[in-house]
Amino acid sequence: MRIMEVLTDDPRPPGDVVGGAGLSRAARVRVLLAAALGPLVTGYAAVATVLALVALTAERTVFSATGVLLAAGPGWLATLQVRLGLGGHPLGVLPLLPTLGAFALAARTVSGATQRLGCRAFREALPVLGTVSAAHAVFGLVIAVAAQGSPVTANPLAAFVVPGLLAVAASVAGITWSCGLPDVVAERLDPLAVRGLRAGALGLAVLLACGAAVFTVATAVSWATVSDIYEPAFGTSFGLFLLSVLYLPNAVTATLSFVTGPGFSVGSVNVGMFGYRGGPVPGVPVLGGLPDHHAAWWPALLVLPAAAGALVGWSLRKADADPAQRIRAVAVAGAVVALGCVVLGTLSGGRLGDGPFDPVSVPVGVASVVAFCWIVIPGSFVAFFAGEHEPPAPPEALEDNQAFEDAEEVDAEEASEAVEELEASEEDEEAEASDEDAEFEAEADAELGLEDPELSRESSAPEPGEAVTGGTETCGDVEPDEADR
């Protein structure tokens, strides 16, 4: 029985990471290679699968496995937001959904590799970050070089830098999930700033939810137009549906910009909260909900970003007892939302050929500033009035506190020197007082004829056998007797 317990019990303490220092060099190399090649192979296979489905379902299309594998290379670059060239025409409006999937895949892979290697600090996981990022950058460069001369091309420099940067961001997220923030960042962040970051993530998620809700309602209301875009053939309809699904995050981001006020544009079409300019739009279902004229009730949608800001302020109402500190946390949350709008707006737009639909853009600068204001203004109002407020201290207490603060600011050496000077001055005063008392006593003795106390005592002492009569003789009130006369 004891042998079974020894064989089945885990000698490691609870929470100890498997691997780590116990792994050999070959095992660590295998883990790093798996982390580097895993996202590349998985992503490339996913893109190739989607292209194969489209080719199989499309009509009048000859399926070629070699063609699908070759086309999957530029498709993989598109998932990582590398702008492509289609027959000399730019394609910069790339779908965000595959990008989010590639980001999540790389972050999860890095997190798993970090745990298998037993990394406990961010610095220990830097080899994983460097390996995964370098693999993405080199793979993108190889695809771009191999695609030169084909109908779909990519800039080699962009194909090297953009996937590498996205891999760096995903690796940082994965390592932070496993090991926490870097020490340099963690030491500079106070708990109030962390609360602001979390509230900012909440605010951005709520704004995106508002954009998604408005987009869904607009698409449902215009479902007749959306259904007319689909063609009877299954292959074409499936391709349009798949294209719309891939571009859903782009549409939600554009709707978010519309809900907050600035709006968006597709070629000559400009849709804003307070303005509208019509024009031709691409015939894809994801754009079927675009309005064809301005509506007077659109400004009522501004209550949604205001509610998001109020929710952020409500979440920070207990962040600190000082209202000023709560407002500072709301400002941090607003900065997070503004940064998120900049990133999403930049990735959602771009060039769309050279025709009437070019470009697709979101006013990133205006949208970020407006989103910041929608979070900070109502959020600060709610956080200030819904949180705690310390009662004002009386004037005497304020004076005592100020005196106490002033006393704390005094240097210890200066205080000790002041105490020594005070004691020295007290000793001098005591010495002067004793000298004055001695002088006063000497003057009093001189006036009474008692300059020499010893002589005075000898002269006043009576001789033996001598009667003391001086007292009665010197008394003027007593008259002498007859015998004395």
Side-chain angles (χ1 to χ4, degrees):
M1 194 68 180
R2 180 62 179 171
I3 297 175
M4 292 299 299
E5 293 178 358
V6 172
L7 293 176
T8 55
D9 289 344
D10 191 355
R12 291 183 300 270
D16 192 10
V17 180
V18 179
L23 290 178
S24 63
R25 184 181 298 273
R28 295 178 67 88
V29 171
R30 285 196 298 269
V31 171
L32 292 177
L33 287 177
L37 299 178
L40 302 181
V41 175
T42 304
Y44 197 91
V47 173
T49 302
V50 172
L51 293 179
L53 288 176
V54 173
L56 288 173
T57 56
E59 296 181 355
R60 296 183 301 274
T61 301
V62 178
F63 177 78
S64 174
T66 304
V68 169
L69 293 177
L70 292 177
W76 182 85
L77 291 178
T79 61
L80 297 183
Q81 296 296 312
V82 179
R83 298 182 178 182
L84 303 177
L86 302 178
H89 302 285
L91 177 60
V93 186
L94 302 172
L96 270 178
L97 185 61
T99 306
L100 297 177
F103 184 92
L105 177 62
R108 182 177 179 84
T109 302
V110 171
S111 177
T114 301
Q115 294 178 0
R116 285 193 296 272
L117 292 176
C119 301
R120 299 180 181 273
F122 194 95
R123 183 179 300 177
E124 298 176 359
L126 289 180
V128 183
L129 186 150
T131 303
V132 174
S133 303
H136 278 72
V138 172
F139 190 62
L141 179 62
V142 170
I143 292 176
V145 172
Q148 296 298 317
S150 63
V152 182
T153 59
N155 186 355
L157 180 60
F160 178 81
V161 173
V162 176
L165 291 178
L166 190 140
V168 168
S171 300
V172 170
I175 295 173
T176 302
W177 180 265
S178 300
C179 304
L181 291 172
D183 296 337
V184 178
V185 178
E187 293 174 357
R188 298 178 182 274
L189 284 179
D190 58 344
L192 194 63
V194 175
R195 291 287 299 274
L197 292 175
R198 293 176 179 174
L202 172 65
L204 183 60
V206 172
L207 287 178
L208 288 174
C210 294
V214 172
F215 171 79
T216 303
V217 172
T219 304
V221 171
S222 305
W223 184 251
T225 304
V226 174
S227 61
D228 291 340
I229 297 175
Y230 287 104
E231 297 184 4
F234 174 78
T236 305
S237 299
F238 177 76
L240 291 175
F241 173 77
L242 184 60
L243 185 66
S244 299
V245 171
L246 296 178
Y247 277 95
L248 271 179
N250 303 63
V252 170
T253 302
T255 310
L256 167 61
S257 180
F258 168 76
V259 170
T260 54
F264 60 94
S265 63
V266 181
S268 60
V269 178
N270 193 340
V271 182
M273 184 65 67
F274 303 99
Y276 178 86
R277 185 176 67 245
V281 294
V284 290
V286 72
L287 298 178
L290 282 178
D292 54 1
H293 63 278
H294 183 268
W297 59 269
W298 283 357
L301 295 175
L302 295 176
V303 70
L304 297 177
L311 180 61
V312 170
W314 181 261
S315 66
L316 294 174
R317 71 189 186 280
K318 297 181 180 180
D320 196 275
D322 187 3
Q325 297 299 322
R326 296 197 296 269
I327 294 176
R328 185 168 69 90
V330 173
V332 173
V336 172
V337 172
L339 179 61
C341 291
V342 169
V343 174
L344 292 176
T346 302
L347 297 178
S348 298
R351 300 292 304 275
L352 188 57
D354 297 320
F357 310 132
D358 180 48
V360 178
S361 63
V362 173
V364 174
V366 179
S368 61
V369 173
V370 171
F372 177 82
C373 295
W374 279 121
I375 295 298
V376 171
I377 295 176
S380 300
F381 184 85
V382 173
F384 182 86
F385 289 101
E388 300 179 1
H389 291 271
E390 296 181 357
E396 296 179 356
L398 292 177
E399 293 178 359
D400 296 339
N401 291 336
Q402 185 65 30
F404 182 75
E405 292 176 358
D406 295 340
E408 286 183 345
E409 295 177 356
V410 177
D411 191 4
E413 295 181 357
E414 296 180 357
S416 61
E417 293 178 358
V419 171
E420 293 177 358
E421 293 179 357
L422 181 61
E423 293 177 352
S425 61
E426 290 179 354
E427 292 177 357
D428 295 339
E429 290 178 359
E430 292 178 358
E432 292 178 358
S434 60
D435 293 340
E436 291 178 357
D437 293 340
E439 292 178 358
F440 178 77
E441 292 177 357
E443 292 177 358
D445 293 340
E447 291 179 358
L448 296 175
L450 300 175
E451 295 181 357
D452 192 352
E454 297 293 335
L455 295 176
S456 299
R457 285 195 295 269
E458 291 178 358
S459 60
S460 60
E463 293 291 336
E466 182 180 356
V468 180
T469 59
T472 57
E473 291 178 356
T474 58
C475 184
D477 294 337
V478 180
E479 292 182 1
D481 294 339
E482 292 295 335
D484 295 336
R485 292 178 182 175

